[in-house]
């Protein structure tokens, strides 16, 4: 991405405020004929996590998949609007 790229960027999480921000960002992008870029941040836990037997083997993989699913679901909702 260069300094000349123009898009409307919206951070996405599972909150109601995020959904409102996505709707506002989508409207702003459409009005300006710009692409909408959705982002979700994966922040590692501030402490080491020890997983119990039978638990999740790689927490980062699970968190990434959840974030990807959130982005996909957000895009699906936007295509219905």
């Amino acid at each position: 991405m260069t300094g000349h790229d123009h898009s409307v960027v919206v951070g996405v999480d599972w909150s109601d405020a995020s959904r409102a921000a996505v709707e506002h960002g989508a409207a702003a992008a459409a009005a300006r004929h710009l692409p909408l870029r959705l982002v979700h941040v994966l922040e590692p836990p501030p402490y080491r996590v020890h997983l119990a037997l039978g638990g999740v083997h790689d927490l980062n993989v699970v968190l990434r998949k959840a974030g990807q699913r959130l982005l996909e679901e957000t895009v699906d909702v936007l295509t219905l609007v």
Side-chain angles (χ1 to χ4, degrees):
M1 195 156 97
T2 68
H4 297 96
D5 291 334
H6 297 283
S7 60
V8 175
V9 180
V10 180
V12 179
D13 63 19
W14 286 270
S15 68
D16 291 338
S18 171
R19 179 170 177 122
V22 167
E23 291 171 358
H24 179 76
R32 293 171 178 82
H33 305 287
L34 294 172
L36 176 65
R37 185 180 308 263
L38 302 175
V39 296
H40 176 72
V41 175
L42 173 64
E43 186 174 359
Y47 46 86
R48 189 167 182 85
V49 176
H50 296 282
L51 302 172
L53 288 175
V56 177
H57 294 289
D58 190 342
L59 184 59
N60 286 330
V61 170
V62 171
L63 293 173
R64 279 191 190 101
K65 286 182 180 180
Q68 184 64 40
R69 188 172 60 250
L70 170 66
L71 291 169
E72 290 168 357
E73 289 173 3
T74 302
V75 169
D76 288 347
V77 168
L78 286 173
T79 59
L80 296 175
V81 176

